Amino acid sequence: LDLEKKEIGDLEAVVLSSLLPRTASSLTALRLCTNSIGDSGATWLSESLTTLTKLKTLDLANNCMHDAGALSVATSLVYLTGIRSLDLSNNWIGDEATATLATSICALSRLQSLSLSENRISDVGAASLAVGVVCLADLVQFSLRSNSVGLAGWGALLDGLSSCSRLSVLNGCAAFSRLAAGGCEDLDLSGYEMGAIAGRFLRKSAASLRRLDLRNNGLGLREWEVIGEALWACSGLEQIADFGWSRSVLASGVTDLDLEKKEIGDLEAVVLSSLLPRTASSLTALRLCTNSIGDSGATWLSESLTTLTKLKTLDLANNCMHDAGALSVATSLVYLTGIRSLDLSNNWIGDEATATLATSICALSRLQSLSLSENRISDVGAASLAVGVVCLADLVQFSLRSNSVGLAGWGALLDGLSSCSRLSVLNGCAAFSRLAAGGCEDLDLSGYEMGAIAGRFLRKSAASLRRLDLRNNGLGLREWEVIGEALWACSGLEQIADFGWSRSVLASGVTDLDLEKKE
């Protein structure tokens, strides 16, 4: 009896209920999908359903049943012991009715197909179902897609479904039987909400899996954490279709891994973390700049970073790390003793993580380039760094631009950096080596936040300096006070580019100095 799309609502269901018993001797299939049968109509129908003992197919999908109506239908199912297919998908069924349904299906030992997709079932309802499905030895197809079932619910369900030896299609995915059996090489699970399920069975294909597709599964961070743990064991994996960059990571013998601007966030970082250890024997450069890796993603990455002992370049610039994530990364650095370049600029790193970083870099004796620009480091963090940089004898480049470091912080840092005899570029300014050496005639330090630094070294060029440019350094009154004291000694100075009127002041033998309206 096919009554699909017949505009049957509560009223029509009452009439139908009065007629159905006369079909009891012959009716094997009742299709009432895509109507408007609500709770009242479902309650009336349930009374007549008890008479349809020859029924093998019951389809009530895409109606308007909530728990009240579904509970009535579930109660009537114990009379339909010969039923093979039951579809209650796309309704409003919640955990209460699901619990009753779970009890009723224990009587349906011949059931082969059960769909509860697109309802309102949570982990609680899934746990109830887990008890009921144990009785369904003949079950071939089962679907619970588009509900609110998480890892805990699916965990319970998969325990229950393990008794269903004939189950081959789960959530509409015909590849489930292959997944459960193991030994898969190319596994396409796209679009079936198979994330939590894949995490359970992937290890069975650890030795054989080459390609995995989990696109359009609505997977969140927690699901990928579970899947990521399983991927550790898949040593022959060549591609995860969800992430275009995965092929680069999984390429044999990769040395330079450039993942800049690959839209890698915390979720992707979890997956990447599970894949990186297999590059440990060859990877020397890891570039993850300009992504959206936050504290959670950074914490996951830090675990795999400890395995990359051949790494020489690590770039995590322009991400979303605060102290929590940066602290995890900093802790992992002690394992990367061969690293030459470290870029953590343009994040949200503060003094707490900087203190840990300062301790960790003591182990990085080969470090040549360190950038912490555009973070939230103050004089306190700078003072911590001052202790760490003393150990960096090979340091050539160091940057702390666009933080909140003042004269005190830079004073401490310059004391520490004095041990770095090879330092030639500071805050991106290649003229630093000339400034530090002294004897400069024309000194262009514009745009590098070199004010506090200039104040420290200008006296070394006192006899030679003719022109000084400190424009676009964000200098305040206190910085110019310090620089001004150093300028006293610069007897041959002819111009300070920051102030157009300075040439007039510094002109030899000036008698009349007119600085009217010079701002």
Side-chain angles (χ1 to χ4, degrees):
L1 187 57
D2 187 355
L3 298 177
E4 181 179 0
K5 296 181 181 178
K6 297 299 183 183
E7 299 183 359
I8 297 174
D10 287 348
L11 186 150
E12 291 80 8
V14 172
V15 179
L16 177 61
S17 176
S18 68
L19 304 179
L20 278 177
R22 66 185 62 193
T23 69
S25 63
S26 60
L27 194 65
T28 58
L30 176 58
R31 297 180 178 87
L32 281 163
C33 53
T34 318
N35 283 291
S36 304
I37 300 169
D39 290 340
S40 176
T43 300
W44 275 95
L45 276 176
S46 65
E47 295 183 16
S48 58
L49 284 177
T50 60
T51 67
L52 306 180
T53 55
K54 293 184 180 293
L55 207 61
K56 294 182 179 179
T57 298
L58 176 60
D59 187 349
L60 283 164
N62 197 20
N63 276 283
C64 304
M65 286 189 295
H66 293 73
D67 268 6
L71 200 150
S72 297
V73 171
T75 304
S76 70
L77 292 176
V78 295
Y79 297 92
L80 311 180
T81 55
I83 201 165
R84 306 289 198 276
S85 176
L86 175 61
D87 193 344
L88 296 172
S89 60
N90 200 9
N91 281 286
W92 298 79
I93 301 171
D95 294 331
E96 183 182 357
T98 302
T100 302
L101 177 65
T103 302
S104 297
I105 60 176
C106 291
L108 311 183
S109 58
R110 299 179 186 178
L111 193 63
Q112 298 175 358
S113 177
L114 174 59
S115 180
L116 286 162
S117 298
E118 299 180 80
N119 279 290
R120 294 191 163 185
I121 302 169
S122 74
D123 284 351
V124 174
S128 300
L129 280 173
V131 178
V133 295
V134 171
C135 307
L136 307 181
D138 289 344
L139 194 65
V140 176
Q141 299 185 46
F142 176 77
S143 183
L144 202 62
R145 288 171 64 183
S146 300
N147 279 281
S148 301
V149 181
L151 290 171
W154 273 113
L157 260 174
L158 290 172
D159 287 339
L161 290 169
S162 64
S163 301
C164 308
S165 57
R166 297 182 59 195
L167 185 66
S168 59
V169 182
L170 185 55
N171 280 1
C173 179
F176 170 72
S177 56
R178 292 173 52 231
L179 172 65
C184 302
E185 186 170 335
D186 189 331
L187 201 50
D188 186 351
L189 304 176
S190 58
Y192 295 107
E193 294 188 21
M194 294 289 284
I197 301 162
R200 175 79 166 249
F201 294 102
L202 273 179
R203 287 183 177 85
K204 291 189 175 184
S205 296
S208 57
L209 192 63
R210 297 292 178 269
R211 181 180 181 276
L212 175 64
D213 191 344
L214 283 168
R215 288 175 292 184
N216 304 316
N217 269 276
L219 302 181
L221 185 61
R222 186 68 189 98
E223 286 79 13
W224 274 113
E225 287 176 358
V226 174
I227 295 166
E229 290 173 3
L231 291 176
W232 272 81
C234 301
S235 56
L237 190 64
E238 297 172 357
Q239 182 186 11
I240 303 173
D242 309 57
F243 311 107
W245 46 261
S246 65
R247 191 182 289 276
S248 300
V249 182
L250 295 167
S252 177
V254 60
T255 56
D256 191 329
L257 190 54
D258 187 356
L259 297 177
E260 180 179 1
K261 295 181 180 179
K262 296 297 183 183
E263 298 183 359
I264 296 174
D266 287 346
L267 185 151
E268 292 80 8
V270 169
V271 180
L272 179 60
S273 177
S274 70
L275 304 180
L276 279 177
R278 67 188 63 197
T279 69
S281 63
S282 60
L283 194 65
T284 58
L286 176 58
R287 297 180 175 85
L288 282 163
C289 51
T290 317
N291 283 292
S292 304
I293 300 169
D295 290 342
S296 176
T299 299
W300 274 92
L301 277 175
S302 65
E303 295 183 17
S304 58
L305 285 177
T306 61
T307 67
L308 306 181
T309 54
K310 293 184 180 295
L311 207 61
K312 294 181 179 179
T313 298
L314 177 59
D315 187 349
L316 282 164
N318 196 20
N319 276 283
C320 305
M321 288 188 294
H322 292 71
D323 269 6
L327 200 150
S328 296
V329 171
T331 303
S332 70
L333 291 176
V334 295
Y335 297 91
L336 310 181
T337 54
I339 203 163
R340 306 290 200 275
S341 176
L342 175 62
D343 193 344
L344 296 173
S345 60
N346 199 10
N347 281 284
W348 298 79
I349 301 171
D351 294 332
E352 183 182 359
T354 303
T356 302
L357 176 65
T359 301
S360 295
I361 60 176
C362 291
L364 311 183
S365 59
R366 300 179 187 177
L367 193 64
Q368 297 174 0
S369 177
L370 174 61
S371 180
L372 287 161
S373 298
E374 299 180 80
N375 280 290
R376 293 191 163 185
I377 302 169
S378 74
D379 285 351
V380 175
S384 300
L385 279 173
V387 178
V389 295
V390 171
C391 308
L392 306 181
D394 290 343
L395 194 66
V396 177
Q397 299 185 45
F398 176 77
S399 183
L400 202 63
R401 288 170 64 184
S402 299
N403 279 281
S404 302
V405 181
L407 290 171
W410 273 112
L413 260 174
L414 291 171
D415 287 339
L417 289 169
S418 64
S419 302
C420 308
S421 58
R422 298 183 59 195
L423 186 67
S424 58
V425 182
L426 185 56
N427 280 1
C429 180
F432 170 72
S433 55
R434 293 174 51 231
L435 172 66
C440 301
E441 186 171 334
D442 188 332
L443 201 50
D444 185 351
L445 304 177
S446 58
Y448 295 107
E449 293 188 21
M450 294 288 285
I453 302 162
R456 174 80 165 247
F457 294 101
L458 275 179
R459 286 183 177 84
K460 290 190 175 185
S461 297
S464 58
L465 192 62
R466 298 291 178 267
R467 181 180 180 275
L468 175 64
D469 189 346
L470 281 169
R471 288 176 293 182
N472 303 317
N473 270 275
L475 303 180
L477 182 62
R478 185 70 188 98
E479 286 80 12
W480 275 112
E481 287 175 358
V482 174
I483 295 166
E485 291 173 3
L487 292 177
W488 273 84
C490 299
S491 56
L493 189 64
E494 298 174 357
Q495 181 186 9
I496 303 173
D498 308 56
F499 311 108
W501 44 262
S502 64
R503 189 182 291 274
S504 301
V505 181
L506 295 167
S508 177
V510 60
T511 58
D512 189 334
L513 188 57
D514 184 359
L515 298 179
E516 182 180 359
K517 296 182 180 180
K518 296 296 184 183
E519 299 182 356

